[in-house]
Amino acid sequence: LGPTAIRAHGSDLFWTNNLGGTIMRMPKVGGAAVAIAEAQNAPAGIAVDAAAVYWVNRDDGRVMGVAR
C-alpha cells in the first residue's frame, strides 16, 4: 500500500505513506512533499491539530505524533 490516509489543516496537506513508512507534508497550493516522520511501522490513519500530527503504526499498535 502507498498513501493510506490524508488530512488538510491550514495551508498544508498531511498523509501517511504505508509502503514507505513515512508521514508527509505538502502545501495545498503545490510544491515539494517533505517527510516529517520516517521509519514508521505501517502508518495508517492521521489526525492533525494546531500543535501536532498524529497517526497509528499498524504493525506495532503505537500511537505516534510529531510537532507540526
Side-chain angles (χ1 to χ4, degrees):
L1 296 171
T4 54
I6 188 168
R7 291 291 177 268
H9 192 277
S11 61
D12 293 316
L13 297 173
F14 300 88
W15 67 93
T16 56
N17 185 6
N18 186 282
L19 184 61
T22 57
I23 310 303
M24 305 296 291
R25 178 183 68 218
M26 172 181 178
K28 285 181 186 175
V29 296
V34 176
I36 59 173
E38 299 179 297
Q40 300 301 301
N41 293 312
I46 193 165
V48 183
D49 65 19
V53 179
Y54 310 93
W55 65 95
V56 174
N57 284 335
R58 286 188 309 180
D59 285 355
D60 60 18
R62 293 174 52 188
V63 177
M64 307 295 289
V66 64
R68 285 193 43 200

